[in-house]
């Protein structure tokens, strides 16, 4: 038998992509008692899902995104328990260092209720930042529902847990090329399970596979496989620069930390009336952050290191080069925010996610029983488990 080919029985669901979007859909299929086959072109997930902050950023969402994030939060906590990876109901901390930033927080807090979002004073913010912090800190907000995982551990352990489930198969190093038109599967021994199925034939680098339903979760590479879906939504690649830092003096920062630039990015803040003034203020006072389209934020991993980011640059094809000045801007701004003394940069990297100016995610039928799902904004860790429920509810 040719070892490079896969020979498998037709499956209920074939999922392409083992990032968080694909894995969350696989977990949903498992919960529904379905057979699942997950394929990925790599030997493990190395895309956006392991390059991020591990921040399930619930409280900064609004509308449907808030609903999806709230569902996803439960998905993370349940699977953290099942798969044995770190998660913490840490909540979030938003730091305000200007009147305009305070105004955004006050306006949102007035609509959210003090159980979900609590305004705190400068001394309390400093306490949250391990006792130090920028002298400019005026106030802050504690966001109740945000949680954190360590993305590198969580995605790997979720895949490993799924692989142990009786109805789940993984095929790594298997690239998806597309699907052929719908063909009825002829079964030599038709039975109740297979006689009614009309399967999709999937072309891969290891031969053809068949499944009743195919869900394509290839993240920012949707245009490579289904340009007909990606292009109408103007799906592009957004690249972000990140760093992993170990402070010389250990810090304990339990919450995911957001700042003024985050308030321009996440809808709950950006939709406030006060956000317009904040944008003007940041343009005047921190042009270097707006020049790299920064979302200055950080999370702490269980080993004490800090995930620090990030910049944003959108293009169809991204330069592979990290820009040192961008890193300097982010690290200097973080150092100032935390009042952090010396530190060691352990790693620097670029992450890329799918981005669409039209919508934050898409669930789109590509062909009968073939659905593309992509999070087209920087919130895949926040909504994927919720998105998976939404996708399946539409079948
Ligand atoms: C730096 C950075 C920070 C971020 N921070 C956060 C955050 O704090 N909170 C948050 O909610 N979101 C965050 N995001 C966004 C989040 O990481 C993404 O939305 C999410 O990871 C996308 O997951 P995915 O599974 O769709 O894509 P990916 O993780 O990129 O996975 C796609 C998978 O598809 C596979 N694949 C692609 N093409 C094929 C093919 N043809 N055949 C087979 N397999 C294929 C790839 O190998 C890959 O494993 C961040 C993103 C970045 C880059």
């Amino acid at each position: 038998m040719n070892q490079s080919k896969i020979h498998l029985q037709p499956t209920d669901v074939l999922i392409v992509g083992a990032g968080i979007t694909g894995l969350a859909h696989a977990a949903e299929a498992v919960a529904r008692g379905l057979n699942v086959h997950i394929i990925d072109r790599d030997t493990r997930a190395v895309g956006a899902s392991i390059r991020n902050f591990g921040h399930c950023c619930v409280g900064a969402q609004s509308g449907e995104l808030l609903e999806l994030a709230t569902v996803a939060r439960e998905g993370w906590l349940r699977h953290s328990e099942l798969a044995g990876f770190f998660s913490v109901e840490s909540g979030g901390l938003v730091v305000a260092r200007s009147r305009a930033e305070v105004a955004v927080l006050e306006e949102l807090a007035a609509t959210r209720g003090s159980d979900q979002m609590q305004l705190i004073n400068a001394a309390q913010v400093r306490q949250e930042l391990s006792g130090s912090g920028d002298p400019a800190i005026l106030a802050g907000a504690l966001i109740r529902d945000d949680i954190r995982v360590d993305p590198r551990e969580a995605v790997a352990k979720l895949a490993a847990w799924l692989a142990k489930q009786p109805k789940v198969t993984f095929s790594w190093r298997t690239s998806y090329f597309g699907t052929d038109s719908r063909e009825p599967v002829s079964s030599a021994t038709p039975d109740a399970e297979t006689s009614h199925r009309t399967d999709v034939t999937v072309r891969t680098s290891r031969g053809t596979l068949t499944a009743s339903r195919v869900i394509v979760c290839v993240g920012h590479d949707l245009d490579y496989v289904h340009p007909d879906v990606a292009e109408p939504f103007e799906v592009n690649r957004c690249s972000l620069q990140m760093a992993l830092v170990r402070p010389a003096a250990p810090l304990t920062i339990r919450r995911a930390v957001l700042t003024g630039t985050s308030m321009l990015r996440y809808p709950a803040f950006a939709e406030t009336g006060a956000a317009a003034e904040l944008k003007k203020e940041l343009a005047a006072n921190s042009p270097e952050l707006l020049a790299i389209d920064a979302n200055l934020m950080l999370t702490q991993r269980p080993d004490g290191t800090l995930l620090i980011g990030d910049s944003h640059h959108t293009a169809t094809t991204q330069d592979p080069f990290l820009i040192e000045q961008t890193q300097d801007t982010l690290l200097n701004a973080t150092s100032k925010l935390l009042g952090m003394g010396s530190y060691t940069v352990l790693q620097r990297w670029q992450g890329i996610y799918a981005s669409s100016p039209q919508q934050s995610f898409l669930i789109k039928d590509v062909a009968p029983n073939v659905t593309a799902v992509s999070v087209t904004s920087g919130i895949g860790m926040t909504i994927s488990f919720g998105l998976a429920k939404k996708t399946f509810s539409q079948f």
Side-chain angles (χ1 to χ4, degrees), residues 65-393:
L65 297 180
L66 179 58
E67 286 166 24
L68 292 172
T70 304
V71 175
R73 181 185 195 276
E74 297 312 310
W76 272 121
L77 295 175
R78 189 170 64 257
H79 289 92
S80 157
E81 190 88 15
L82 290 168
F85 57 79
F86 163 85
S87 68
V88 57
E89 295 183 68
S90 59
L93 167 71
V94 196
V95 182
R97 290 179 285 177
S98 73
R99 297 300 336 156
E101 290 174 4
V102 173
V104 170
L105 295 186
E106 285 176 346
E107 190 177 330
L108 183 60
T111 63
R112 278 288 160 97
S114 56
D115 58 328
Q116 281 185 45
M117 183 175 167
Q118 184 196 343
L119 295 176
I120 57 173
N121 63 32
Q124 291 168 307
V125 174
R126 287 211 179 79
Q127 212 170 355
E128 292 284 342
L129 297 178
S130 212
S132 190
D134 188 342
I137 291 171
L138 292 178
L142 302 180
I143 309 280
R144 185 190 63 189
D145 289 338
D146 291 17
I147 61 172
R148 289 193 294 109
V149 297
D150 179 0
R152 302 164 187 213
E153 184 210 19
V155 172
K157 285 203 174 159
L158 181 57
W161 175 79
L162 281 165
K164 284 194 215 133
Q165 304 313 301
K167 293 184 171 181
V168 176
T169 311
F170 273 85
S171 295
W172 299 99
R173 296 182 71 202
T174 303
S175 290
Y176 168 81
F177 296 152
T179 56
D180 284 333
S181 54
R182 208 170 175 187
E183 294 169 5
V185 150
S186 56
S187 172
T189 52
D191 57 30
E193 276 196 0
T194 59
S195 59
H196 306 298
R197 56 197 298 162
T198 309
D199 283 7
V200 181
T201 302
V202 177
R203 284 177 285 109
T204 81
S205 52
R206 294 181 189 272
T208 58
L209 298 169
T210 51
S212 300
R213 188 161 287 281
V214 177
I215 307 175
V216 181
C217 306
V218 294
H220 56 269
D221 286 341
L222 187 61
D223 61 337
Y224 289 171
V225 292
H226 291 297
D228 48 327
V229 176
E231 283 166 11
F233 290 96
E234 302 172 83
V235 178
N236 252 315
R237 292 178 174 74
C238 181
S239 73
L240 301 81
Q241 289 195 200
M242 298 279 289
L244 182 71
V245 162
R246 185 178 292 287
L251 299 170
T252 305
I253 303 175
R254 183 177 156 84
R255 294 173 185 273
V257 179
L258 305 178
T259 64
T261 48
S262 320
M263 297 184 209
L264 297 184
R265 181 161 295 276
Y266 294 113
F269 306 114
E271 288 162 5
T272 61
E277 193 52 40
L278 172 59
K279 190 164 190 181
K280 278 192 226 151
E281 186 190 82
L282 283 170
N285 299 343
S286 307
E288 74 291 356
L289 290 178
L290 292 199
I292 59 169
D293 199 4
N295 170 13
L296 185 69
M297 63 170 286
L298 63 106
T299 53
Q300 186 161 42
R301 296 176 69 214
D303 67 1
T305 55
L306 302 176
L307 289 162
I308 290 174
D310 53 22
S311 56
H312 296 82
H313 175 69
T314 302
T316 307
T317 299
Q318 289 284 350
D319 270 346
F321 314 112
L322 292 180
I323 299 166
E324 202 56 26
Q325 196 183 339
T326 299
Q327 290 289 349
D328 285 348
T329 301
L330 292 169
L331 291 170
N332 291 340
T334 305
S335 196
K336 184 167 175 240
L337 170 74
L338 298 180
M340 183 168 63
S342 58
Y343 56 86
T344 308
V345 179
L346 302 174
Q347 298 173 346
R348 300 168 198 267
W349 65 97
Q350 181 188 59
I352 298 180
Y353 64 66
S355 134
S356 161
Q358 298 178 30
Q359 50 193 66
S360 300
F361 63 84
L362 62 86
I363 302 174
K364 189 85 185 129
D365 286 343
V366 173
N369 298 330
V370 183
T371 306
V373 182
S374 181
V375 181
T376 48
S377 58
I379 54 169
M381 296 295 274
T382 302
I383 65 168
S384 280
F385 282 105
L387 201 56
K389 280 201 188 298
K390 182 177 169 82
T391 306
F392 275 88
S393 74

